[in-house]
Amino acid sequence: QVQLVESGGGLVQAGGSLRLSCAASGLVFSRLRVAWFRQSPGKERQFVAANGWSGGTTEYADSVKGRFTISRDNAKNTVYLQMNSLKPEDTAVYYCASDSGPVTRSGLRWVDNYRYWGQGTQVTVSS
């Protein structure tokens, strides 16, 4: 049974940092592409960052480029999202996602290209 469990969310002031973690069971991250998405109330799920199955391709949404970093620890079967210089508009529920097989660079950004999802962790940035 595949399970992704996010942690590390919370309340932080603008300009602060958080590190989200996504621990996997039932699959091996080193063989899969992984991504982070976020969703605010009333909005569609939005791409944040992704790392391709080989680990060599990384994509970021323009809104987080230079502030967020996606990384993985294959030994711990865990993916991280380091978030720095947080802004109130970063407030959302953050989800990790994963799937197998290659996709195009742009395909890393598509919700429909991921079968496995975590339950989400709330990030709230106060102004």
Side-chain angles (χ1 to χ4, degrees):
Q1 182 179 356
V2 174
Q3 188 173 20
L4 303 180
V5 179
E6 300 99 335
S7 61
L11 173 64
V12 64
Q13 287 188 332
S17 298
L18 283 174
R19 188 178 79 157
L20 306 183
S21 300
C22 175
S25 59
L27 50 79
V28 179
F29 268 154
S30 63
R31 303 173 185 173
L32 304 175
R33 59 182 182 276
V34 293
W36 289 93
F37 290 78
R38 65 188 182 188
Q39 189 167 21
S40 303
K43 295 187 177 180
E44 292 186 350
R45 196 161 292 191
Q46 176 189 42
F47 170 76
V48 176
N51 187 236
W53 71 275
S54 65
T57 301
T58 302
E59 283 286 298
Y60 293 96
D62 288 344
S63 60
V64 307
K65 200 172 294 183
R67 300 188 297 122
F68 291 11
T69 302
I70 185 172
S71 63
R72 59 171 95 196
D73 185 334
N74 290 333
K76 295 182 178 179
N77 217 26
T78 299
V79 174
Y80 303 98
L81 184 69
Q82 178 66 44
M83 306 186 295
N84 299 328
S85 302
L86 283 161
K87 304 175 181 179
E89 51 263 43
D90 294 318
T91 295
V93 177
Y94 283 71
Y95 299 89
C96 71
S98 187
D99 207 333
S100 60
V103 295
T104 62
R105 179 180 286 268
S106 62
L108 287 170
R109 300 169 176 257
W110 301 346
V111 169
D112 290 346
N113 278 342
Y114 296 90
R115 287 178 292 167
Y116 308 118
W117 291 85
Q119 83 290 347
T121 185
Q122 176 70 47
V123 171
T124 303
V125 184
S126 63
S127 56

